[in-house]
Amino acid sequence: MTEAILLVGGKGTRLRPLTVHTPKPMVRAAGVPFLTHQLARARAAGVEHIVLATSYLAEVFEPYFGDGSSLGLHIEYVTEDEPLGTGGAIRNVASRLRSAPDEPILVFNGDILTGLDIRALVDTHERTGADVSLHLTKVTDPRAYGLVPTDATGRVTAFLEKPQTPEEIVTDQINAGAYVFRRAVIDTIPAGRPVSVERETFPDLLSAGAHLQGMVDSTYWLDLGTPAAFVRGSADLVLGRAPSPAVPGRRGERLILPTARVAPDAKLSGGTVVGEGALVAEGARVVGSTILPGAVIEPGAVITHSLIGTGARVGERSILTDTVIGDGAFVGPDNELRSGARVWCDARIPQGALRFSSDR
C-alpha cells in the first residue's frame, strides 16, 4: 500500500467559531495543523502518495503543504464544486490514483485522532482478501453511533443506524473512520453526485455479496468534531496519550512554540500549547488548553480546557473553563465564562460583563 485518500472537505460546523476562517483539518492541534499529524502517521505506515479531497476553504491547504515533499510525501489536491459526501468525495479523486485494480487504497477522515495500527489494517485486508476493510473501535455508549456487527471471523454482517432502544444495541463496535478499499471497488461508487459510504456504499456492497472485513483496534480514538474534543485531543498529543510523529517538541505538561512568551511565574499544565507569538503573562494559569498564535493571556487570567483563537485576547483575572474564543476576539478583564461558551471571531466583551458567580 503506497496510496491514500484523505477526506478533508467538511465545513466543521460543530467546531465554529474555530472554523470560520480555517477548515477543520487546518486548526492547530499540539502546535501544528491537525492534518499534519495524519499525514505524518500515514507516511510512517508506508504511504507515499496522498490525494486530499477538499471542499470548504479548499484554497488553504496547498499553500501550507505544497507538494508534500517536506513530509516525504507526494500530495495532490482535488476540490469538489459541491459537497459530495464521503463516498462521492472518494469517487471524485479516483482519477488521481495510480494503483492497479486489486491493490489496496487507504482512506481516512480528516477529523479523527487515532492510534490505529495502519499496517495491521492493511495486512488484515490482504490476508482476508476483502473488498473493503474497516477500522472498528469499541465504545462504552454506542447510542450516538451507527453500529457495525461482525461474525466470528470479523466479517461485517450489517450496518445499523443509531440505536433508539436498548434492544437495538447488538454490538459496541462502531465505524472508526479509516478504511482500505480494493482499488477497483472505488470505481463502482456512482460519480458526480453525493454518496455516503456509511448509508449507501457499504450497505449496497453487502447486499451485492461483497466481502467487508472489520478489524477492531481499541487503541486511542477520538472524534474531534466538537470544541471540547478538539481541545482534549490536542492536550493528549502533547501529553503523549495520542501518538504522532509530528508533535513539534518534547511531550509533557506543556508545549511552548518558538517566539511564544511565557512569564516565569505563569503555570502551564495538562498538555497546554502556547502558539507562536502568543503571550501568557504574569500570574496566569493555563490547564489543558490551546493558545493559538498571537493570542494574549493577561496577568492573573485562569484558562482551563479551553481554546483561545489566533490573535485573541483574554483580560486580567478573567476565568475561562470549557470555552472557545474565536480569532481576534477580546474578553475584557474580570469576566467568567464556563461550560461550552463560544465567543465569536472579533467579538468584544467589556470588563466584568459576563459572570457565573458574584463579583465579590
Side-chain angles (χ1 to χ4, degrees), residues 96-110:
R96 302 294 183 94
L97 299 174
R98 307 162 182 169
S99 299
D102 285 330
E103 290 184 326
I105 305 293
L106 176 68
V107 179
F108 51 120
N109 287 319

Side-chain angles (χ1 to χ4, degrees), residues 55-111:
S55 180
Y56 177 65
L57 297 176
E59 68 276 9
V60 172
F61 295 92
E62 190 167 2
Y64 189 91
F65 291 106
D67 63 2
S69 56
S70 63
L71 293 169
L73 292 163
H74 174 56
I75 298 177
E76 294 189 68
Y77 306 83
V78 177
T79 301
E80 302 163 20
D81 296 326
E82 297 291 335
L84 295 173
T86 47
I90 293 168
R91 180 65 177 85
N92 192 50
V93 307
S95 63
R96 302 294 183 94
L97 299 174
R98 307 162 182 169
S99 299
D102 285 330
E103 290 184 326
I105 305 293
L106 176 68
V107 179
F108 51 120
N109 287 319
D111 56 1

Side-chain angles (χ1 to χ4, degrees), residues 167-239:
E167 291 74 26
E168 293 177 338
I169 302 176
V170 298
T171 181
D172 58 357
Q173 297 175 175
I174 66 166
N175 176 1
Y179 321 109
V180 178
F181 277 74
R182 186 163 57 84
R183 169 68 181 85
V185 174
I186 292 175
D187 292 328
T188 68
I189 299 173
R193 67 169 177 85
V195 180
S196 164
V197 290
E198 300 87 353
R199 294 183 177 86
E200 183 176 347
T201 303
F202 293 157
D204 286 356
L205 285 169
L206 269 188
S207 297
H211 179 176
L212 276 67
Q213 185 72 24
M215 187 195 83
V216 177
D217 182 314
S218 296
T219 55
Y220 185 98
W221 184 87
L222 184 64
D223 179 349
L224 300 183
T226 66
F230 200 96
V231 170
R232 190 174 112 208
S234 177
D236 285 347
L237 283 162
V238 174
L239 291 165

Side-chain angles (χ1 to χ4, degrees), residues 11-300:
K11 291 185 176 180
T13 52
R14 291 184 297 158
L15 276 177
R16 288 170 72 89
L18 296 180
T19 51
V20 170
H21 304 303
T22 307
K24 177 168 53 177
M26 294 298 288
V27 178
R28 288 174 179 258
V32 296
F34 175 66
L35 179 55
T36 309
H37 300 290
Q38 294 184 303
L39 293 172
R41 292 198 74 243
R43 182 67 191 95
V47 173
E48 298 173 357
H49 177 219
I50 290 186
V51 185
L52 297 189
T54 68
S55 180
Y56 177 65
L57 297 176
E59 68 276 9
V60 172
F61 295 92
E62 190 167 2
Y64 189 91
F65 291 106
D67 63 2
S69 56
S70 63
L71 293 169
L73 292 163
H74 174 56
I75 298 177
E76 294 189 68
Y77 306 83
V78 177
T79 301
E80 302 163 20
D81 296 326
E82 297 291 335
L84 295 173
T86 47
I90 293 168
R91 180 65 177 85
N92 192 50
V93 307
S95 63
R96 302 294 183 94
L97 299 174
R98 307 162 182 169
S99 299
D102 285 330
E103 290 184 326
I105 305 293
L106 176 68
V107 179
F108 51 120
N109 287 319
D111 56 1
I112 302 295
L113 176 59
T114 176
L116 168 68
D117 185 337
I118 296 172
R119 286 302 327 173
L121 180 63
V122 176
D123 291 345
T124 296
H125 177 81
E126 295 179 332
R127 174 177 52 79
T128 61
D131 295 298
V132 182
S133 297
L134 298 85
H135 171 209
L136 307 179
T137 192
K138 294 179 180 289
V139 294
T140 304
D141 184 0
R143 291 175 297 177
Y145 304 94
L147 308 182
V148 187
T150 54
D151 65 16
T153 69
R155 188 161 180 160
V156 174
T157 58
F159 289 89
L160 306 176
E161 293 294 330
K162 295 177 183 178
Q164 303 300 311
T165 65
E167 291 74 26
E168 293 177 338
I169 302 176
V170 298
T171 181
D172 58 357
Q173 297 175 175
I174 66 166
N175 176 1
Y179 321 109
V180 178
F181 277 74
R182 186 163 57 84
R183 169 68 181 85
V185 174
I186 292 175
D187 292 328
T188 68
I189 299 173
R193 67 169 177 85
V195 180
S196 164
V197 290
E198 300 87 353
R199 294 183 177 86
E200 183 176 347
T201 303
F202 293 157
D204 286 356
L205 285 169
L206 269 188
S207 297
H211 179 176
L212 276 67
Q213 185 72 24
M215 187 195 83
V216 177
D217 182 314
S218 296
T219 55
Y220 185 98
W221 184 87
L222 184 64
D223 179 349
L224 300 183
T226 66
F230 200 96
V231 170
R232 190 174 112 208
S234 177
D236 285 347
L237 283 162
V238 174
L239 291 165
R241 295 171 180 166
S244 169
V247 176
R250 190 170 61 184
R251 288 167 175 78
E253 289 292 314
R254 65 196 63 80
L255 176 64
I256 302 172
L257 275 292
T259 72
R261 293 174 293 154
V262 177
D265 66 342
K267 292 181 170 55
L268 310 179
S269 61
T272 287
V273 182
V274 184
E276 296 91 338
L279 169 64
V280 180
E282 296 81 4
R285 288 189 288 127
V286 187
V287 181
S289 297
T290 296
I291 314 300
L292 290 182
V296 174
I297 310 302
E298 293 187 353

